[in-house]
Amino acid sequence: MTHLSVLDLSLVTTDTPPSAALRNSIDLGQHVDALGYSRYWTAEHHNLASVASPAPDLMIGQVAAATKRIRVGSGGVMLPNHAPLVVAERFKMLEGLFPGRIDLGLGRAPGTDPATAYALRAKLDGRNGDEFLERLMELMLWETRNFPEGHPFNNVVAMPSDAPLPPIWLLGSSDYSADLSAQIGMGFAFAHHFATYDAVEAMTHYRARFKPSPSRSTPWAILAVAAIAAETDEEAEYLAASMDLNRLRRDRGQYFPLPSPEEALAYPYTEQDRIKLARARKRLFVGSAATVREKLQPLIEACQADEVMITTSIYDHEKRKHSYTLLADAFGLEKATP
């Protein structure tokens, strides 16, 4: 059985304002918890009209409190935006409140545009060299307490002190995070849904070079994909029209709430637009649940993925939930016991 998980963006549409999108995320978390999904990860994006949640740690607490068994985590915290001590404190709090159910996924990108990134980071300390790597090493030191003798941080304790830092996952869309995850012995999640780098190369590279660590003895690779499932291929194509227009606009630097399928289908696409959409569709799996599984299976096997994490952007919230239901059935997930 393939492990299935969810990457949620707290989707804002032209009919769903941001506050309602946040409540939909909690509802979706409860829905996939009952269906037997393994994880529910929330993303960090800023200044995007289609994404309601810029604070995954806050959403994790809300979703974990409303669910029973599913692991809840970040996909991810954009580490360069945050002081490592703050990340350690917040995720140790979450682990203390929901022991054994929290994941800490970390990303290198700002999750936004340059001006917003500057606003997020302007008051953070300046660092030299690879800022992400330096912050990651410091974050790990807040857990191991292996600061050098005489270091001022030896007198600082990340609270709650009796709660461990949750398992750390590195997110990536290239070979950099794949190699780093392998070298330091962490879990790795590859973002196939927007990567231009080859997923098979990144994920097999990670597995081949993995070195056991105190936190993880064996590799675990998550393949994150965008997928839309419906009762028929035709209905799924109709629902996917929203993502097509949204993708085209984002490529132009236009960030709007997700449009309805009707708006998307009425849009006056040029021939060049349609060529771009056809190219983008290579990273989107659309169809009935059986069709989506058939399209996904060769990639899962080639990547040697231990787990598939699905992000689904559908205009109608109930149809989005139904897409996850259909995929759970197609992949043979065992529903949670009431």
Side-chain angles (χ1 to χ4, degrees), residues 15-296:
D15 192 47
T16 308
S19 56
L22 296 177
R23 292 189 288 272
N24 282 347
S25 287
I26 298 172
D27 181 57
L28 180 61
Q30 293 174 315
H31 180 67
V32 297
D33 184 27
L35 289 173
Y37 280 78
S38 297
R39 303 176 208 274
Y40 188 95
W41 282 6
T42 65
E44 176 184 344
H45 289 290
H46 303 271
N47 195 32
L48 283 183
S50 59
V51 180
S53 173
D57 51 336
L58 294 181
M59 280 307 306
I60 288 167
Q62 294 296 314
V63 174
T67 53
K68 301 297 184 184
R69 46 153 295 278
I70 195 168
R71 295 190 68 92
V72 189
S74 55
V77 167
M78 301 295 105
L79 189 55
N81 295 341
H82 308 281
L85 174 58
V86 172
V87 177
E89 289 177 331
R90 292 179 179 178
F91 277 81
K92 282 165 72 70
M93 280 186 65
L94 289 167
E95 182 66 25
L97 291 167
F98 308 102
R101 292 184 55 208
I102 305 299
D103 293 323
L104 173 51
L106 300 172
R108 297 166 55 215
T112 189
D113 58 275
T116 308
Y118 178 78
L120 286 164
R121 302 177 181 186
K123 299 301 181 182
L124 290 178
D125 56 317
R127 296 178 183 239
N128 299 317
D130 189 329
E131 184 182 31
F132 174 78
L133 184 56
E134 187 177 350
R135 290 180 185 276
L136 174 61
M137 294 301 105
E138 183 181 318
L139 175 62
M140 294 168 65
L141 284 170
W142 286 115
E143 178 68 9
T144 63
R145 306 300 306 165
N146 289 330
F147 290 107
E149 185 177 352
H151 196 287
F153 290 174
N154 278 321
N155 298 318
V156 182
V157 176
M159 295 294 287
S161 58
D162 62 332
L165 201 62
I168 296 178
W169 299 76
L170 296 190
L171 283 54
S173 55
S174 69
D175 60 341
Y176 177 93
S177 292
D179 190 62
L180 181 57
S181 302
Q183 292 301 314
I184 60 181
M186 290 182 174
F188 175 58
F190 184 81
H192 174 274
H193 53 297
F194 64 78
T196 55
Y197 194 84
D198 182 61
V200 176
E201 184 173 342
M203 296 183 71
T204 54
H205 178 100
Y206 161 74
R207 187 173 298 280
R209 289 163 176 77
F210 181 86
K211 296 180 180 178
S213 70
S215 60
R216 180 172 289 280
S217 60
T218 57
W220 190 272
I222 298 175
L223 175 66
V225 300
I228 291 176
E231 294 292 345
T232 64
D233 290 350
E234 292 75 19
E235 183 186 1
E237 287 292 336
Y238 169 78
L239 297 174
S242 297
M243 284 192 72
D244 287 340
L245 180 54
N246 194 53
R247 176 81 267 172
L248 183 66
R249 285 171 168 172
R250 289 188 66 168
D251 288 346
R252 294 171 177 170
Q254 301 171 338
Y255 298 98
F256 301 127
L258 189 74
S260 68
E262 292 83 1
E263 178 184 350
L265 290 169
Y267 188 84
Y269 296 104
T270 66
E271 186 60 32
Q272 190 62 32
D273 291 339
R274 296 190 183 281
I275 293 173
K276 291 180 179 178
L277 290 179
R279 191 180 305 124
R281 273 300 189 95
K282 295 177 181 179
R283 296 196 296 270
L284 176 62
F285 299 87
V286 180
S288 68
T291 297
V292 170
R293 177 165 185 171
E294 182 180 350
K295 291 178 178 179
L296 264 176

Side-chain angles (χ1 to χ4, degrees), residues 1-4 35 37 229-230 287-297 300 310 322-335:
M1 183 187 75
T2 301
H3 294 268
L4 290 190
L35 289 173
Y37 280 78
S288 68
T291 297
V292 170
R293 177 165 185 171
E294 182 180 350
K295 291 178 178 179
L296 264 176
Q297 200 63 42
I300 295 170
I310 300 168
H322 189 54
S323 176
Y324 283 111
T325 300
L326 293 171
L327 291 174
D329 291 340
F331 279 88
L333 297 192
E334 294 185 11
K335 292 181 171 59

